[in-house]
Structure formats: C-alpha cells, structure tokens
Amino acid sequence: MSSSKSTATLFSLENQSLKLSTASEAAPHLAPLRSSTTITEISLCGNTLGVGACEEIASVLSTQKALQKADLSDIFTSRLLSEIPPALSSLLKSLLDLPELHTVNLSDNAFGLNTVGPLIAFLKAHVPLKHLILNNNGLGPIAGTQIAEALTELAEKKSAARKQGRDVPELETIICGRNRLESGSMKAWTRTFQKHHYVKEVRMVQNGIRQDGITLLLGEGLRGCHDLQKLDLQDNTFTITGASALAEVLAGWKSMRELGVGDCYLGARGSVLMAEALGLGNTKGLKVLRAQYNNMDAKGVRAILSSARVGAEGLQRVELNGNKLSEDDEALDGLRLLLEERRQAAETTNEDEEDAWGIDDLSDLEEESDEEDEADKNEDTDEEEEEEEEEEEEEEEEEEEEKEKEVKAEGILKEADKAENSKVPQRKDADVDALAEQLDKTEI
C-alpha cells in the first residue's frame, strides 16, 4: 500500500524514514504521482533512496511537466559513497525535462568532491532555476568553487536563452550554508554574483569565510546586487576589515529587508561602522538586524539607536544577545522602547509575528570590565598594525630579492671582467719540452 501523501498539486513522502533501494520497492509509493498531471510540488526528504529507487522515481518525475518545486533534501542517509552519484544523476537528469521547475532543495546530502559531479551538470544546464537551496552538503572550498562556476555558466545559458526569445527567470535565491566554502572559493562566488546581479536572497552562514574572503565577496560580488533583500552571513569572520567593507556597500542595497551578521566578530568599532552606515538613509526598508555575539559595546547600541531613529526608520527587530552590554544600558532601553512603539503603531496582534519585533532575549550578555574595554579599544588598532606589518614584511622580502639579484648580477659581471683582463698562462706540454731538449743537443 502506498504511504504517500498527495493532493491535487502536492506529492509527498516527507519524513517517512523509508528505505527504498530498488525500483520494485519504490514503485508502490509512486502511484498517485504516476496518475497525476497537476502536481506542482514534490517532497522526498527524510527517506533514504538507492540507485534503483531513484531510477524509478526519475522515470515518473520526467512526466510531471507542471512541477515547480522539488524537495530532495536528506535522501541519501546511510547510502554508500559509490551509490550517490548514479542515484543523484538519474534524479537530476529527469528534472532537466521540466520547464516550470524553478525551486530545488538538495540540503543535507553529502556532495563532496567525489559526488558533486551530477549536481554541477544540472546547475550548468537548468535554465528555469530561480531558487537554489544547498545547506549542509559538506562541499569544502574546491567543490564550492565548482558549484559557483556552474552557476556562473548558468547565467550565460540564461542570457543565451533570452536572446532566442525564451521567457527565462533570474536566479533570485542562493542558499549555501554550512558548507565550508572558506575564503578559497570566494573568487568564484564573486564572479557568480557579478553574473547573477538580480539575486534577492543570499544565505551563506557558517562557512569559515575569513575577512579577506568576506571583503572580496561584499566589495566585488554582492556590491552590484541592488535588488538584494535578505543577506545572511552569520558565523563567518569579518573583523574590522570585513565590517568596513560591509559599511561601504550597504548604501547600494536600498531593497534590503533582513541583514544577518551575528557571530561575525565585527568588534566594537566594526559594529559602530555598520550601524552608522545604516543611518545614511539608503536602507530605510530594513526590518531585521541580527548582530549577536559580535563583541559590540554600548557605543554600537547607541549607533544603532541613532540610525533606527533617522535613516533606518523601518527597523522593527534587532538581535543583540551575546554582546558586551548591560541590560540597564540607556541606549538599549531607548532602542527597546522605540521598537515597541513601532509594533504598537503597526497594530500587530498575530502571536506568530512576535519574534519579528523588538529585541531578542538578552540572557547571554557579557558584562564589560575596564580591562576588556581597553582591550576592545586596542583590538582594531592591533589588527591594523598586524596588517601593516605583514605588508612591510612582504615589501622587505621583495627588496631583499631584488638586492640579491643585483648582487648576483654584479658578481657575474666582475667574474667576466676578471676573466677577460687576466693573463692566460702558458700550458706546458711534456712532448714539446722533450722535443726542444732534443733539438738543443743536436749539432748541425
């Protein structure tokens, strides 16, 4: 008996913990899908599918021309590494035949270097794609680079299709979190966002991206995405370098509604830079700011309050837990009061929207001691000095290399001159000497 849940537009096997290895095991569950032509959404997540089962599912999926959304997250748990590429390939190839399919979720599947191939081929070719969700896939920087390059190629395919008169959507959503993308893949992702500059939502949380990668991503990639509405880069490392880059690009994001930079080590001064940038009036539509665990102090909160009053008048939710603040801080009280006044003015009565307003639970604030305050003051200066020292060391190394080349060249020239000007010694030849001696003895 089929255990699928189906409506006129939805087919779901979601979270049924089915272990389907063969075509014969999968077939009974697919009857509602096989008999319908109106399905617009499928969900297979929370099951484990083998090669044979995926081939059977693919044969049915390819007939669903009305399909718009496919949730294929968490479908390979406990499967052998060798099973994943052929199983994934059969599923994704079937999706290429679906002209209306715009949303694909492949989260919680292991797509390392050995298994990412079928996904790359799909991303290069599926022109109707609008929303891509890839969370917790274990990509790493190399596979992450390959994914970014595939999306860049997709942009070119979309452009070519438009020139042929096809109605092709922009890629609006890229979610690629918890994938160890690191700074090493940011050049490729920067090119991706330069091509897909109409993107509206980007979430790349917990990827081990450091300040150099963040600066590149923001300054050269996302800077030109003027339609960006939601950006979540939480749990990466900004420091003052990344915070400065963020402050510079915020002015171009006039459509921004939600900004997530929690646990990004903005630091005290970096938090102020970000907050002051919000007060310039270019992000009036910003509703949610997530800035927890950033070593932010009272100056940062005062800057946020000032910007919330003038510049970011749409702000309604600020998350600040885990920073170096006192709950009795006047600026914190002022911000809390301002956001509550806005909530009341909006006459919100829906309890589900409570978390969309006000300040978050501040149960993990860190009281700042005098020593910590002094350390925070010096924190950004120390980092700038370190960067300057690194630059100086690089310059000194380059100078040393040049000097070594010059010394070596001079040595070669001196050796050449010495060889040219020196007298050439006469070589003694035993046979010649013997002949000369014999001639001396000969009388004529």
Side-chain angles (χ1 to χ4, degrees), residues 126-397:
H126 193 60
V127 172
L129 188 65
K130 287 176 65 176
H131 309 288
L132 175 64
I133 306 171
L134 291 173
N135 266 324
N136 190 35
N137 299 108
L139 294 174
I142 298 177
T145 295
Q146 294 174 341
I147 293 295
E149 290 172 344
L151 290 174
T152 300
E153 187 170 332
L154 175 65
E156 296 170 358
K157 294 279 181 64
K158 283 176 176 282
S159 178
R162 291 189 190 101
K163 290 177 181 178
Q164 295 172 358
R166 294 173 58 185
D167 185 12
V168 176
E170 299 289 349
L171 183 61
E172 295 182 2
T173 303
I174 297 178
I175 299 176
C176 193
R178 297 184 65 194
N179 270 307
R180 298 184 297 109
L181 297 179
E182 302 177 5
S183 296
S185 69
M186 288 303 104
K187 284 185 179 180
W189 282 102
T190 293
R191 289 191 292 270
T192 296
F193 290 116
Q194 288 172 346
K195 292 291 185 179
H196 292 286
H197 51 86
Y198 291 104
V199 69
K200 295 180 178 179
E201 180 175 358
V202 175
R203 298 185 185 273
M204 302 177 76
V205 304
Q206 199 176 351
N207 271 305
I209 310 170
R210 298 189 62 79
Q211 58 266 35
D212 55 335
I214 288 293
T215 301
L216 183 64
L217 178 66
L218 293 174
E220 297 186 25
L222 294 171
R223 176 191 288 273
C225 299
H226 299 302
D227 292 339
L228 195 59
Q229 297 177 7
K230 297 179 180 180
L231 176 63
D232 195 346
L233 294 174
Q234 294 184 93
D235 203 3
N236 291 292
T237 304
F238 278 55
T239 72
I240 185 65
T241 305
S244 299
L246 176 63
E248 287 182 12
V249 300
L250 273 171
W253 295 336
K254 297 182 179 180
S255 299
M256 184 64 68
R257 298 291 179 269
E258 180 182 320
L259 178 62
V261 288
D263 200 11
C264 285
Y265 199 60
L266 297 178
R269 190 169 133 214
S271 299
V272 172
L273 287 176
M274 174 198 67
E276 289 177 344
L278 293 176
L280 296 177
N282 296 299
T283 52
K284 292 180 180 293
L286 183 68
K287 295 182 181 298
V288 179
L289 173 63
R290 296 190 171 91
Q292 318 95 309
Y293 298 96
N294 271 308
N295 285 345
M296 184 189 302
D297 60 16
K299 291 180 181 178
V301 178
R302 286 198 291 273
I304 292 175
L305 175 58
S306 176
S307 294
R309 285 172 173 161
V310 179
E313 294 89 346
L315 197 61
Q316 59 189 41
R317 172 75 171 179
V318 181
E319 297 181 1
L320 296 169
N321 193 31
N323 285 301
K324 294 182 177 180
L325 305 169
S326 168
E327 273 203 82
D328 299 327
D329 183 83
E330 290 184 4
L332 197 58
D333 288 339
L335 182 60
R336 186 181 287 110
L337 179 61
L338 176 63
L339 299 181
E340 176 59 23
E341 288 174 351
R342 288 179 180 173
R343 187 187 71 82
Q344 292 180 2
E347 299 181 350
T348 299
T349 57
N350 190 342
E351 292 183 3
D352 293 337
E353 294 184 4
E354 287 296 315
D355 288 341
W357 295 88
I359 294 175
D360 60 327
D361 178 22
L362 302 178
S363 59
D364 198 22
L365 290 180
E366 183 178 348
E367 293 286 344
E368 187 172 24
S369 66
D370 292 338
E371 292 181 1
E372 288 173 334
D373 185 49
E374 187 64 29
D376 279 341
K377 289 178 181 178
N378 296 328
E379 167 195 327
D380 299 328
T381 303
D382 290 342
E383 185 183 332
E384 289 174 355
E385 288 177 354
E386 286 178 7
E387 291 178 354
E388 288 176 1
E389 287 175 4
E390 288 178 1
E391 291 177 0
E392 288 175 1
E393 287 176 4
E394 289 177 359
E395 289 176 0
E396 288 174 2
E397 288 176 1

Side-chain angles (χ1 to χ4, degrees), residues 59-96:
S59 68
V60 182
L61 282 180
S62 62
T63 66
Q64 302 299 310
K65 302 303 182 181
L67 192 65
Q68 299 176 18
K69 300 178 181 179
D71 186 349
L72 305 177
S73 60
D74 190 19
I75 58 173
F76 295 126
T77 300
S78 79
R79 293 294 168 179
L80 297 174
L81 193 63
S82 59
E83 290 183 89
I84 297 176
L88 180 64
S89 180
S90 59
L91 288 175
L92 295 183
K93 283 182 179 178
S94 71
L95 299 184
L96 288 174

